[in-house]
């Protein structure tokens, strides 16, 4: 009886695939994050020096998350869920977020907004959008600031209950956005104190803090399937590139061909502990280029490169940041 | 962070039994609890005799931890707070206001960058006099290089007023100058002290009233860093980095929580290639930043 039940199984393969695939549909994010399909429980790290539009990509992802798929006949292509934004950099501009949302609502898809913007200048006050949908989307965006790593840990520990509360109302959280994960690295590193009494007591060091952070996020992702995106600012710029530039004797062919950088020779210095590095499943590198794109007479946008490091894709995307958001440049 | 012993008075569930249970897992304070896995702790508590009470204690500590972080806000609440509190302060100079899209933004840290003798302190003095005169808010000026000049501020204030009525002018001048408080700080630790004191005063102060601080000028943080910079090898750089970042966070917190605009003129020096090789991008590295930089 028991053994028979064990052999006959719980569900067929078709049922299982139907269950799993409906829950874990891949997220199709806007460019330049569109090259690799991202699923819930993936951890994407956006790396880059400052400034390289990292926070902007986070904002764009958050917008896509809070928008519905369809509303009143207009297709927005959003994920219809909550987005949680943990701001460790404390530089988030809500006016920019609100403006981008209004532009998206007014025009449906991103390419349409761009076309409209190019044709006529839309003044900020005269954007027509659906007030009800705007309020709904803004309410789906949850934001918290953390001024030190204790507050960050406290937030992560209590996040589970907050998400559960939202689930009780029927809202599900689809994204966890962290800006930026290395914010307290230097403070924690300098404040590593001497071992306290009782040799097993965990001291507050970069290692233990980050291990706890990784542990908490891992638990959260297990309990609530969502996509985690974290930005990380690189320090001291692109050391390998700089050294290659000054070392005139050596032929620097390996660095001049930008696309030829393999995952082993990281173009920046990795400072996060290995606990975080192994936790990350996807990694994309952004950096500003020296080119500028003249969109119109008075606007000069700087072009950024984006390169997928994990999985390692061998080409670069170029994008600019305009008023309506991020746009790829051919 | 509080040791668990001190919390017993306020939360009687965290009694000595709970404390000894935590001590057996090397947890003596709330900080230690933050670094531990609470589910694992609850599983250990299951095996104890007083498991129910211990688990209640853990739940109590979780609610204490919930009060340790900043409040959660949704988009609408953020927007309302920004529209209500985070207005723009004019600096008094039209050209700079144009670059800043209106002026210094309350709730943000604006960095004024440039080589020496480029007029940074003058802009700060102008902004201070303008805010004190027009916005009925007080200004706190932290001076690290004896650059504050009351005569110059007086000049700025008296520039546009009617030279006819002397008495009234004198009284307004008095009132405006009273709104600017200047403090000299010569090392970074004194600066931290002053800022913490300011934060304490602002938290315990009542809302409203004329004396609300609107502008905080720190002239300048970078000049206090150089003594530490010369420290031995890598240690010096790391502690410098950490101090600068902590100062940045403290200023950002003051700006956002207490609705103050913070202005910081920074000396940016031209670097040689040898400096770059050693990993120096600029003297400030990654620290207090806001996207509005004026060179």
């Amino acid at each position: 009886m028991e053994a028979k039940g064990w052999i006959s199984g719980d569900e067929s393969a078709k049922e299982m695939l139907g269950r799993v695939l409906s829950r874990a549909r891949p997220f199709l994010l806007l460019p330049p994050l569109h090259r690799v399909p991202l699923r819930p429980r993936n951890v994407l790290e956006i790396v880059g020096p400052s400034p390289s539009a990292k926070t902007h990509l986070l904002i764009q992802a958050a917008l896509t998350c809070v928008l519905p798929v369809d509303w009143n006949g207009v297709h927005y292509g959003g994920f219809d869920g909550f987005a949680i934004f943990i701001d460790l950099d404390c530089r988030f501009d809500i006016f920019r977020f609100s403006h981008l949302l209004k532009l998206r609502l007014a025009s449906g898809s991103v390419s349409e907004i761009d076309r409209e913007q190019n044709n006529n200048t839309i003044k900020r006050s005269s954007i027509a959008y659906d007030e009800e949908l705007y309020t709904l989307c803004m309410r789906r965006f949850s934001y918290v600031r953390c001024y030190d790593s204790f507050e960050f840990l406290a937030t992560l520990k209590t996040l589970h209950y907050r998400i559960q509360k939202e689930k009780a109302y029927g809202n599900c959280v689809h994204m966890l956005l962290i800006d930026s994960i290395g914010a307290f690295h230097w403070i924690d590193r300098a404040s590593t104190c001497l071992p306290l009494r009782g040799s097993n007591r965990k001291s507050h060091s970069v290692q233990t803090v980050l291990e706890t952070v990784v542990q908490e996020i891992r638990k959260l992702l297990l309990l609530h399937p969502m996509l985690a995106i974290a930005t990380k600012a690189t320090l001291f710029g692109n050391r390998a590139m700089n050294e290659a530039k000054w070392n005139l004797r050596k032929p620097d062919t390996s660095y001049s061909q930008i696309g030829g950088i393999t995952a082993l020779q990281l173009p920046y210095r990795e400072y996060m502990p290995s606990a975080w590095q192994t936790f990350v499943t996807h990694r994309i590198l952004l950096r500003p280029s020296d080119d500028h794109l003249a969109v119109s007479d008075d606007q000069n946008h700087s072009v950024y490169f984006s390169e997928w490091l994990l999985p390692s894709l061998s080409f670069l995307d170029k994008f600019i940041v305009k008023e309506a958001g991020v746009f790829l440049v051919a | 962070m509080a040791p668990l012993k001190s919390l017993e008075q306020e939360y009687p569930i965290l009694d000595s039994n709970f404390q000894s249970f935590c001590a057996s897992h090397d947890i003596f304070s709330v900080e230690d609890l933050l670094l531990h896995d609470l589910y694992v702790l609850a599983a250990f508590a299951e095996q104890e005799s007083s498991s129910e009470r211990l688990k209640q204690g853990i739940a109590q500590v979780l609610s204490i931890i919930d009060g340790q972080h900043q409040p959660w806000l949704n988009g609408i609440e953020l927007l309302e707070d920004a529209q209500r509190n985070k207005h723009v302060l004019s600096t008094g100079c039209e050209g700079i206001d144009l670059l800043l899209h209106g002026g210094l933004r309350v709730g943000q840290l604006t960095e004024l960058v440039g080589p020496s003798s480029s007029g940074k302190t003058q802009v700060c003095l102008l902004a201070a006099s303008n805010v004190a005169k027009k916005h009925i808010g007080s200004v706190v000026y932290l001076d690290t290089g004896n650059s504050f000049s009351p005569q110059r501020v007086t000049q700025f204030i008296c520039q546009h007023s009617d030279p006819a009525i002397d008495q009234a002018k004198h009284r307004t001048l008095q009132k405006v100058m009273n709104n600017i408080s200047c403090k000299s700080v010569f090392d970074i630790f004194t600066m931290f002290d002053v800022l913490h004191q300011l934060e304490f005063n602002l938290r315990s102060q009542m809302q409203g009233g004329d004396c609300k601080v609107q502008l905080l000028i720190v002239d300048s943080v970078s000049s206090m860093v150089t003594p530490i910079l010369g420290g031995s090898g890598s240690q010096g750089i790391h502690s410098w980095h950490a101090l600068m970042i902590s100062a940045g966070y403290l200023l950002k917190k003051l700006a956002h929580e207490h609705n103050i605009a913070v202005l910081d003129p920074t000396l940016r020096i031209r670097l040689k290639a040898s400096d770059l090789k050693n990993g120096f991008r600029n003297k400030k590295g990654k620290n207090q930043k806001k996207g509005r930089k004026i060179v």
Side-chain angles (χ1 to χ4, degrees):
Chain A
M1 283 62 53
E2 219 179 76
K4 198 169 176 199
W6 199 62
I7 297 169
S8 49
D10 294 322
E11 56 183 357
S12 69
K14 185 177 177 187
E15 287 164 7
M16 189 210 101
L17 277 177
R19 175 174 58 87
V20 168
L21 287 179
S22 67
R23 254 193 353 201
R25 67 186 190 283
F27 288 125
L28 287 164
L29 293 171
L30 294 171
L33 300 173
H34 61 296
R35 298 256 176 224
V36 176
L38 294 164
R39 297 201 145 74
R41 300 206 180 102
N42 280 154
V43 180
L44 167 66
E45 186 187 62
I46 303 178
V47 197
S50 181
S52 48
K54 304 186 294 290
T55 311
H56 215 102
L57 285 187
L58 274 190
I59 295 180
Q60 197 130 351
L63 275 176
T64 320
C65 186
V66 300
L67 282 170
V69 186
D70 287 302
W71 183 274
N72 279 350
V74 185
H75 176 76
Y76 292 107
F79 307 144
D80 207 17
F82 268 63
I84 293 192
F85 194 102
I86 305 183
D87 196 359
L88 304 184
D89 239 6
C90 306
R91 283 199 284 164
F92 183 72
D93 188 2
I94 187 68
F95 290 122
R96 179 74 178 134
F97 184 80
S98 154
H99 184 59
L100 277 174
L101 180 59
K102 285 182 189 168
L103 283 175
R104 277 288 280 275
L105 291 180
S107 307
S109 70
V110 185
S111 50
E112 272 179 47
I113 307 167
D114 189 32
R115 234 177 295 132
E116 266 179 59
Q117 290 252 284
N118 283 338
N119 293 338
N120 54 327
T121 48
I122 302 178
K123 287 209 193 86
R124 280 193 177 206
S125 51
S126 65
I127 303 170
Y129 58 91
D130 190 340
E131 187 75 45
E132 192 194 332
L133 181 57
Y134 171 78
T135 320
L136 174 71
C137 290
M138 289 292 268
R139 278 195 211 283
R140 284 180 178 171
F141 180 75
S142 274
Y143 173 89
V144 76
R145 282 187 161 213
C146 297
Y147 292 110
D148 58 47
S149 41
F150 290 125
E151 290 189 12
F152 184 35
L153 284 171
T155 312
L156 285 177
K157 283 217 188 285
T158 50
L159 193 50
H160 167 63
Y161 299 100
R162 188 170 172 85
I163 298 178
Q164 265 194 324
K165 221 169 45 168
E166 293 296 337
K167 270 200 176 151
Y169 291 122
N171 308 315
C172 45
V173 181
H174 284 317
M175 271 196 207
L176 173 66
L177 307 153
I178 304 176
D179 182 24
S180 67
I181 192 77
F184 306 123
H185 176 87
W186 293 98
I187 303 179
D188 289 338
R189 189 170 167 168
S191 68
T192 303
C193 36
L194 298 161
L196 306 152
R197 72 177 158 114
S199 52
N200 289 331
R201 195 173 168 191
K202 282 190 185 173
S203 63
H204 178 74
S205 68
V206 177
Q207 287 292 129
T208 46
V209 168
L210 251 138
E211 276 167 17
T212 318
V213 165
V214 165
Q215 205 180 55
E216 292 297 325
I217 300 180
R218 190 174 273 139
K219 272 191 285 179
L220 277 170
L221 292 181
L222 266 178
L223 292 168
H224 313 279
M226 38 185 191
L227 174 65
I229 308 181
T231 59
K232 190 179 80 180
T234 56
L235 299 174
F236 304 133
N238 199 336
R239 216 181 202 184
M241 289 272 209
N242 287 340
E243 281 175 4
K245 266 193 233 160
W246 304 317
N247 212 335
L248 298 167
R249 276 176 286 153
K250 261 196 235 163
D252 53 349
T253 45
S254 54
Y255 293 111
S256 61
Q257 193 190 29
I258 301 170
I261 296 175
T262 63
L264 288 170
Q265 319 161 352
L266 284 175
Y268 61 91
R269 203 179 68 157
E270 180 66 68
Y271 59 87
M272 296 292 277
S274 58
W276 172 257
Q277 290 183 46
T278 48
F279 182 53
V280 167
T281 59
H282 293 77
R283 196 177 277 126
I284 183 170
L285 171 70
L286 305 178
R287 53 175 180 259
S289 75
D290 295 322
D291 304 326
H292 288 262
L293 193 70
V295 172
S296 60
D297 291 328
D298 54 349
Q299 288 176 31
N300 212 0
H301 298 284
S302 52
V303 181
Y304 299 99
F305 285 128
S306 80
E307 183 189 347
W308 280 92
L309 295 177
L310 185 71
S312 186
L313 301 174
S314 54
F315 52 81
L316 298 177
D317 280 319
K318 282 202 242 178
F319 65 93
I320 56 172
V321 179
K322 291 206 275 193
E323 196 190 338
V326 171
F327 294 99
L328 277 186
V329 169
Chain B
M1 291 258 166
L4 289 172
K5 261 192 293 224
S6 64
L7 292 170
E8 189 176 348
Q9 225 178 11
E10 209 180 323
Y11 306 99
I13 193 120
L14 306 178
D15 53 3
S16 51
N17 183 28
F18 184 78
Q19 287 167 35
S20 52
F21 166 70
C22 288
S24 65
H25 292 278
D26 294 307
I27 299 173
F28 298 97
S29 68
V30 181
E31 172 190 314
D32 294 330
L33 267 166
L34 280 178
L35 295 170
H36 265 83
D37 190 339
L38 290 177
Y39 292 103
V40 168
L41 200 65
F44 275 121
E46 279 283 330
Q47 298 164 4
E48 299 280 326
S49 51
S50 54
S51 62
E52 270 312 307
R53 238 180 115 70
L54 286 175
K55 283 200 278 195
Q56 279 174 5
I58 295 177
Q60 178 62 60
V61 172
L62 257 175
S63 67
I64 295 173
I65 290 175
D66 203 15
Q68 296 280 0
H69 60 77
Q70 302 295 323
W72 284 93
L73 296 166
N74 66 31
I76 296 282
E77 289 162 1
L78 262 179
L79 196 62
E80 273 172 9
D81 170 62
Q83 283 166 341
R84 209 181 328 130
N85 297 327
K86 311 282 194 279
H87 41 275
V88 168
L89 299 174
S90 160
T91 55
C93 170
E94 268 180 26
I96 296 183
D97 279 349
L98 209 66
L99 282 172
L100 288 174
H101 297 289
L104 299 170
R105 210 70 97 97
V106 168
Q108 281 173 359
L109 168 62
T110 307
E111 201 183 12
L112 218 55
V113 173
S116 15
S117 304
S118 48
K120 304 189 292 293
T121 309
Q122 292 300 308
V123 173
C124 290
L125 291 173
L126 178 62
S129 58
N130 203 46
V131 169
K133 188 172 160 194
K134 297 222 177 99
H135 300 271
I136 321 169
S138 64
V139 179
V140 176
Y141 197 106
L142 296 185
D143 192 6
T144 62
N146 286 331
S147 49
F148 183 75
S149 156
Q151 294 87 351
R152 192 75 177 114
V153 177
T154 316
Q155 273 183 345
F156 283 133
I157 295 170
C158 298
Q159 230 171 3
H160 301 292
S161 51
D162 194 355
I165 313 163
D166 257 345
Q167 268 281 16
K169 191 170 82 171
H170 186 72
R171 254 182 284 128
T172 36
L173 192 63
Q174 282 271 44
K175 206 172 101 173
V176 171
M177 292 302 267
N178 273 337
N179 271 340
I180 306 178
S181 55
C182 179
K183 263 201 170 68
S184 287
V185 286
F186 297 112
D187 63 271
I188 198 157
F189 303 106
T190 322
M191 188 191 78
F192 270 114
D193 215 11
V194 168
L195 288 176
H196 281 302
Q197 188 63 44
L198 179 64
E199 192 190 357
F200 182 74
N201 291 344
L202 286 170
R203 254 189 292 166
S204 46
Q205 212 177 46
M206 305 242 251
Q207 276 287 358
D210 284 346
C211 333
K212 196 167 165 317
V213 178
Q214 289 272 278
L215 178 63
L216 168 64
I217 301 178
V218 188
D219 182 6
S220 67
V221 187
S222 54
S223 63
M224 286 186 287
V225 150
T226 9
I228 307 166
L229 203 50
S232 56
S234 62
Q235 270 308 97
I237 295 176
H238 290 161
S239 48
W240 154 65
H241 233 123
L243 279 170
M244 290 302 285
I245 298 178
S246 304
Y249 272 102
L250 185 52
L251 289 170
K252 277 195 266 204
K253 188 172 183 182
L254 272 171
H256 184 84
E257 306 296 326
H258 303 282
N259 300 322
I260 302 173
V262 184
L263 182 58
D264 167 37
T266 309
L267 179 63
R268 186 133 309 178
I269 55 174
R270 213 171 279 269
L271 293 171
K272 306 183 280 285
S274 54
D275 284 345
L276 280 170
K277 262 195 187 165
N278 294 333
F280 266 76
R281 248 315 164 78
N282 54 56
K283 277 177 88 173
K284 300 196 81 194
K286 176 184 169 11
N287 50 30
Q288 38 186 264
K289 288 216 243 154
K290 202 306 157 186
R292 290 151 193 251
K293 293 189 185 183
I294 311 173
V295 179

